[in-house]
Short mmCIF file of all heavy atoms in Angstrom, two decimals:
data_model
loop_
_atom_site.label_atom_id
_atom_site.label_comp_id
_atom_site.label_asym_id
_atom_site.label_seq_id
_atom_site.Cartn_x
_atom_site.Cartn_y
_atom_site.Cartn_z
N ALA A 1 32.40 -55.25 -31.61
CA ALA A 1 32.85 -55.94 -32.82
C ALA A 1 31.70 -56.14 -33.80
O ALA A 1 31.88 -56.02 -35.02
CB ALA A 1 33.48 -57.28 -32.45
N ASP A 2 30.52 -56.43 -33.28
CA ASP A 2 29.34 -56.62 -34.13
C ASP A 2 29.01 -55.33 -34.87
O ASP A 2 28.77 -55.33 -36.09
CB ASP A 2 28.16 -57.05 -33.26
CG ASP A 2 26.90 -57.31 -34.06
OD1 ASP A 2 27.01 -57.74 -35.23
OD2 ASP A 2 25.80 -57.09 -33.53
N LEU A 3 29.01 -54.20 -34.16
CA LEU A 3 28.73 -52.91 -34.80
C LEU A 3 29.79 -52.60 -35.85
O LEU A 3 29.48 -52.17 -36.97
CB LEU A 3 28.69 -51.80 -33.75
CG LEU A 3 28.53 -50.37 -34.30
CD1 LEU A 3 27.18 -50.20 -34.98
CD2 LEU A 3 28.72 -49.34 -33.19
N ARG A 4 31.04 -52.80 -35.51
CA ARG A 4 32.15 -52.50 -36.43
C ARG A 4 32.01 -53.30 -37.72
O ARG A 4 32.14 -52.77 -38.83
CB ARG A 4 33.49 -52.81 -35.76
CG ARG A 4 34.71 -52.43 -36.58
CD ARG A 4 35.99 -52.84 -35.90
NE ARG A 4 36.14 -52.21 -34.60
CZ ARG A 4 36.12 -52.87 -33.45
NH1 ARG A 4 35.94 -54.19 -33.43
NH2 ARG A 4 36.28 -52.24 -32.32
N ASN A 5 31.74 -54.59 -37.60
CA ASN A 5 31.61 -55.44 -38.78
C ASN A 5 30.42 -55.05 -39.64
O ASN A 5 30.51 -54.99 -40.87
CB ASN A 5 31.48 -56.91 -38.37
CG ASN A 5 32.76 -57.48 -37.79
OD1 ASN A 5 33.85 -56.98 -38.06
ND2 ASN A 5 32.63 -58.53 -36.99
N ARG A 6 29.29 -54.77 -38.99
CA ARG A 6 28.07 -54.49 -39.74
C ARG A 6 28.15 -53.15 -40.46
O ARG A 6 27.72 -53.01 -41.62
CB ARG A 6 26.86 -54.56 -38.82
CG ARG A 6 26.52 -56.00 -38.45
CD ARG A 6 25.55 -56.10 -37.30
NE ARG A 6 24.28 -55.43 -37.57
CZ ARG A 6 23.29 -55.35 -36.70
NH1 ARG A 6 23.42 -55.90 -35.50
NH2 ARG A 6 22.17 -54.74 -37.02
N VAL A 7 28.70 -52.15 -39.80
CA VAL A 7 28.85 -50.83 -40.45
C VAL A 7 29.82 -50.92 -41.62
O VAL A 7 29.60 -50.34 -42.68
CB VAL A 7 29.32 -49.77 -39.43
CG1 VAL A 7 29.73 -48.48 -40.14
CG2 VAL A 7 28.21 -49.48 -38.42
N ALA A 8 30.91 -51.67 -41.44
CA ALA A 8 31.91 -51.80 -42.49
C ALA A 8 31.35 -52.42 -43.76
O ALA A 8 31.80 -52.12 -44.86
CB ALA A 8 33.10 -52.62 -41.99
N MET A 9 30.35 -53.28 -43.63
CA MET A 9 29.78 -53.96 -44.78
C MET A 9 28.70 -53.15 -45.49
O MET A 9 28.18 -53.55 -46.52
CB MET A 9 29.19 -55.30 -44.34
CG MET A 9 30.21 -56.34 -43.91
SD MET A 9 31.31 -56.85 -45.26
CE MET A 9 32.85 -56.00 -44.78
N ILE A 10 28.35 -51.98 -44.94
CA ILE A 10 27.29 -51.16 -45.52
C ILE A 10 27.86 -50.23 -46.59
O ILE A 10 28.91 -49.60 -46.41
CB ILE A 10 26.58 -50.34 -44.43
CG1 ILE A 10 25.83 -51.27 -43.47
CG2 ILE A 10 25.62 -49.32 -45.04
CD1 ILE A 10 25.20 -50.56 -42.30
N GLU A 11 27.17 -50.13 -47.69
CA GLU A 11 27.59 -49.26 -48.78
C GLU A 11 27.47 -47.80 -48.35
O GLU A 11 26.42 -47.38 -47.84
CB GLU A 11 26.72 -49.51 -50.01
CG GLU A 11 27.12 -48.68 -51.22
CD GLU A 11 26.22 -48.95 -52.41
OE1 GLU A 11 25.34 -49.83 -52.29
OE2 GLU A 11 26.40 -48.30 -53.45
N PRO A 12 28.53 -47.00 -48.50
CA PRO A 12 28.46 -45.58 -48.13
C PRO A 12 27.29 -44.89 -48.84
O PRO A 12 27.00 -45.13 -50.01
CB PRO A 12 29.81 -45.03 -48.62
CG PRO A 12 30.73 -46.21 -48.57
CD PRO A 12 29.88 -47.39 -48.96
N GLY A 13 26.60 -44.03 -48.09
CA GLY A 13 25.44 -43.32 -48.62
C GLY A 13 24.12 -43.90 -48.17
O GLY A 13 23.08 -43.25 -48.30
N ARG A 14 24.16 -45.12 -47.63
CA ARG A 14 22.92 -45.74 -47.18
C ARG A 14 22.53 -45.23 -45.79
O ARG A 14 23.40 -44.98 -44.95
CB ARG A 14 23.07 -47.26 -47.13
CG ARG A 14 21.75 -48.00 -47.04
CD ARG A 14 21.95 -49.48 -46.89
NE ARG A 14 21.41 -49.96 -45.62
CZ ARG A 14 21.67 -51.14 -45.08
NH1 ARG A 14 22.49 -51.96 -45.68
NH2 ARG A 14 21.13 -51.48 -43.95
N LYS A 15 21.24 -45.10 -45.55
CA LYS A 15 20.75 -44.65 -44.24
C LYS A 15 20.45 -45.86 -43.35
O LYS A 15 19.88 -46.85 -43.81
CB LYS A 15 19.49 -43.81 -44.40
CG LYS A 15 19.70 -42.51 -45.16
CD LYS A 15 18.41 -41.72 -45.23
CE LYS A 15 18.57 -40.47 -46.10
NZ LYS A 15 19.54 -39.52 -45.52
N VAL A 16 20.85 -45.77 -42.08
CA VAL A 16 20.55 -46.82 -41.11
C VAL A 16 19.90 -46.18 -39.88
O VAL A 16 20.17 -45.02 -39.55
CB VAL A 16 21.81 -47.61 -40.69
CG1 VAL A 16 22.41 -48.33 -41.88
CG2 VAL A 16 22.85 -46.71 -40.05
N ASN A 17 19.06 -46.95 -39.23
CA ASN A 17 18.33 -46.46 -38.07
C ASN A 17 18.88 -47.07 -36.79
O ASN A 17 18.94 -48.30 -36.66
CB ASN A 17 16.84 -46.79 -38.19
CG ASN A 17 16.04 -46.26 -37.01
OD1 ASN A 17 15.97 -45.06 -36.81
ND2 ASN A 17 15.45 -47.15 -36.24
N PHE A 18 19.28 -46.24 -35.86
CA PHE A 18 19.79 -46.70 -34.56
C PHE A 18 18.78 -46.38 -33.46
O PHE A 18 18.20 -45.29 -33.43
CB PHE A 18 21.12 -46.01 -34.21
CG PHE A 18 22.29 -46.49 -35.01
CD1 PHE A 18 22.79 -45.72 -36.06
CD2 PHE A 18 22.90 -47.70 -34.72
CE1 PHE A 18 23.87 -46.16 -36.79
CE2 PHE A 18 23.98 -48.14 -35.45
CZ PHE A 18 24.47 -47.36 -36.50
N ILE A 19 18.59 -47.34 -32.56
CA ILE A 19 17.91 -47.08 -31.30
C ILE A 19 18.99 -47.02 -30.24
O ILE A 19 19.85 -47.91 -30.16
CB ILE A 19 16.88 -48.17 -30.96
CG1 ILE A 19 15.74 -48.17 -31.99
CG2 ILE A 19 16.32 -47.97 -29.56
CD1 ILE A 19 14.71 -49.24 -31.77
N LEU A 20 18.99 -45.95 -29.44
CA LEU A 20 20.06 -45.75 -28.46
C LEU A 20 19.49 -45.30 -27.14
O LEU A 20 18.32 -44.91 -27.03
CB LEU A 20 21.07 -44.73 -29.00
CG LEU A 20 20.55 -43.33 -29.35
CD1 LEU A 20 20.62 -42.40 -28.14
CD2 LEU A 20 21.33 -42.74 -30.50
N SER A 21 20.33 -45.39 -26.12
CA SER A 21 19.99 -44.89 -24.80
C SER A 21 20.87 -43.68 -24.51
O SER A 21 22.09 -43.75 -24.61
CB SER A 21 20.22 -45.98 -23.75
OG SER A 21 20.01 -45.47 -22.45
N ARG A 22 20.21 -42.57 -24.15
CA ARG A 22 20.94 -41.34 -23.80
C ARG A 22 20.37 -40.81 -22.48
O ARG A 22 19.19 -40.49 -22.39
CB ARG A 22 20.81 -40.29 -24.90
CG ARG A 22 21.51 -38.98 -24.59
CD ARG A 22 21.30 -37.96 -25.70
NE ARG A 22 21.93 -38.39 -26.94
CZ ARG A 22 21.73 -37.79 -28.11
NH1 ARG A 22 20.91 -36.75 -28.19
NH2 ARG A 22 22.35 -38.23 -29.20
N ASP A 23 21.23 -40.79 -21.47
CA ASP A 23 20.80 -40.35 -20.13
C ASP A 23 19.60 -41.15 -19.64
O ASP A 23 18.67 -40.62 -19.02
CB ASP A 23 20.46 -38.86 -20.14
CG ASP A 23 21.65 -37.99 -20.48
OD1 ASP A 23 22.77 -38.35 -20.08
OD2 ASP A 23 21.47 -36.97 -21.18
N GLY A 24 19.61 -42.45 -19.96
CA GLY A 24 18.56 -43.33 -19.48
C GLY A 24 17.29 -43.33 -20.31
O GLY A 24 16.35 -44.05 -20.00
N LYS A 25 17.23 -42.51 -21.38
CA LYS A 25 16.05 -42.43 -22.23
C LYS A 25 16.37 -42.95 -23.62
O LYS A 25 17.45 -42.72 -24.15
CB LYS A 25 15.54 -40.99 -22.31
CG LYS A 25 15.13 -40.41 -20.96
CD LYS A 25 14.70 -38.97 -21.11
CE LYS A 25 14.30 -38.38 -19.74
NZ LYS A 25 13.91 -36.96 -19.85
N ARG A 26 15.39 -43.62 -24.23
CA ARG A 26 15.59 -44.18 -25.57
C ARG A 26 15.30 -43.15 -26.65
O ARG A 26 14.37 -42.35 -26.54
CB ARG A 26 14.71 -45.41 -25.78
CG ARG A 26 15.12 -46.58 -24.90
CD ARG A 26 14.70 -47.89 -25.50
NE ARG A 26 15.31 -49.01 -24.79
CZ ARG A 26 15.41 -50.23 -25.26
NH1 ARG A 26 14.93 -50.51 -26.46
NH2 ARG A 26 15.96 -51.19 -24.55
N LYS A 27 16.12 -43.20 -27.71
CA LYS A 27 15.94 -42.29 -28.83
C LYS A 27 16.13 -43.06 -30.13
O LYS A 27 16.80 -44.10 -30.16
CB LYS A 27 16.97 -41.15 -28.78
CG LYS A 27 16.75 -40.15 -27.66
CD LYS A 27 17.81 -39.07 -27.69
CE LYS A 27 17.75 -38.22 -28.93
NZ LYS A 27 16.59 -37.30 -28.93
N ASN A 28 15.59 -42.52 -31.21
CA ASN A 28 15.76 -43.02 -32.56
C ASN A 28 16.59 -42.03 -33.34
O ASN A 28 16.24 -40.84 -33.39
CB ASN A 28 14.40 -43.17 -33.25
CG ASN A 28 14.02 -44.60 -33.49
OD1 ASN A 28 14.61 -45.50 -32.91
ND2 ASN A 28 13.03 -44.81 -34.33
N ILE A 29 17.68 -42.47 -33.98
CA ILE A 29 18.48 -41.56 -34.81
C ILE A 29 18.84 -42.27 -36.11
O ILE A 29 19.30 -43.41 -36.09
CB ILE A 29 19.76 -41.10 -34.07
CG1 ILE A 29 19.38 -40.14 -32.94
CG2 ILE A 29 20.74 -40.44 -35.03
CD1 ILE A 29 20.57 -39.53 -32.22
#
């Protein structure tokens, strides 16, 4: 719900940085 609300409030075209876990390893996208 937090992600849904925050993304919805962002103006289209803006860049955002995500830190994620993929197969146990952290990545920046």
Side-chain angles (χ1 to χ4, degrees):
D2 182 32
L3 175 65
R4 185 184 300 113
N5 290 337
R6 287 166 59 182
V7 169
M9 292 296 107
I10 294 175
E11 182 180 357
R14 195 185 118 195
K15 296 182 185 295
V16 297
N17 182 63
F18 287 103
I19 295 178
L20 59 90
S21 175
R22 178 182 294 170
D23 298 325
K25 298 178 181 179
R26 292 205 169 198
K27 290 180 65 72
N28 249 15
I29 289 185

